[in-house]
Amino acid sequence: MTKILELKNVDSFYGNIQALYDINLHIDQGEIITLIGANGAGKSTTLMTVCGVVQARNGQVMYDGEEITKEAPNKIVAQGICQVPEGRLIFPELTVQENLDMGAFMRNDKEGIKRDMEYSFDLFPILAERRKQQGGTLSGGEQQMLAIARALMAKPRLLLLDEPSMGLAPLIVKQIFDIIKKVNAEHNTTIFLVEQNANLALKIAHRGYVMENGRIVLTDTCDKLLADEQVKKAYLGL
Ligand code: ATP
């Protein structure tokens, strides 16, 4: 298996406050991995450290075997890492179609862009129906779909998803998670899924990491984590 991403002994800080302690994790090409943990555990900080918004103070972030620890976010995005941040952050004034166009701003293969736009509309038919509507008028679930579709327009090799289930009804979450699985299977897009909804995340991912207070405390296949007594009690409400 080829590692697409690896964090080695990573410490990250906000000013003097340490948020991540000695993080070691990796994702193989084509995998879905999930990072679960409570509020404030450091999940978002981990994603931001991958895409360079927060720079690791110690340790290394490796992408495709090359070190990207100190690279600027725009350089990292250009190499095929794309993040869908928590809270979605679509452009509310732009239409659905314009939002998707923005996702492809670094590309100039017109035919490919058109094909991927159609693929996005196949994945999320509701977005096709609403293609002329302003993003800000969409429901929360539709905005989440748009945020994912926009990220896919960049043709990422590694897609970082920060709590896609947040604030959404269970039925919509299920729909979105099914699509995440489909994108992974059909496009071989590697997915790094951060979630508080451990139950769902562990059902679609291949492997998982559990984070507490800025540290990885457990890692295993999702089947094993779902059966783990500590995980059941702390994260699955069982
Ligand atoms: P959530 O589910 O609430 O997003 P999380 O697991 O993603 O939680 P982080 O957002 O990564 O956790 O936060 C990790 C720690 O870093 C927390 O203690 C948080 O208060 C702190 N933190 C996050 N962002 C900042 C910031 N901009 N400045 C200072 N401290 C921050």
Side-chain angles (χ1 to χ4, degrees), residues 113-131:
I113 293 173
K114 208 168 140 205
R115 209 174 38 243
D116 289 342
M117 179 90 67
E118 287 313 315
Y119 180 69
S120 289
F121 287 145
D122 284 348
L123 284 176
F124 303 105
I126 192 76
L127 296 182
E129 278 175 41
R130 307 218 188 293
R131 72 170 82 192

Side-chain angles (χ1 to χ4, degrees), residues 13-15 17-20 35-48 54 86 162-163 166 194-196 211 213-214:
F13 291 72
Y14 293 101
I17 301 164
Q18 188 161 1
L20 299 184
L35 176 62
I36 60 171
N39 238 330
K43 305 181 299 299
S44 300
T45 306
T46 305
L47 290 191
M48 288 196 283
V54 172
E86 192 178 312
D162 197 349
E163 300 219 18
M166 196 172 67
V194 154
E195 260 301 337
Q196 274 195 58
M211 185 167 233
N213 301 318

Side-chain angles (χ1 to χ4, degrees), residues 4 28-31 119 156-158 181-191:
I4 187 167
D28 288 328
Q29 171 72 47
E31 263 192 317
Y119 180 69
R157 293 184 53 227
L158 174 61
K181 242 167 103 171
K182 192 168 170 193
V183 168
N184 169 256
E186 289 180 353
H187 274 232
N188 201 28
T189 310
T190 308
I191 292 175

Side-chain angles (χ1 to χ4, degrees), residues 199 231-238:
N199 217 336
V231 172
K232 277 193 196 170
K233 226 196 286 164
Y235 300 102
L236 304 178
L238 298 173

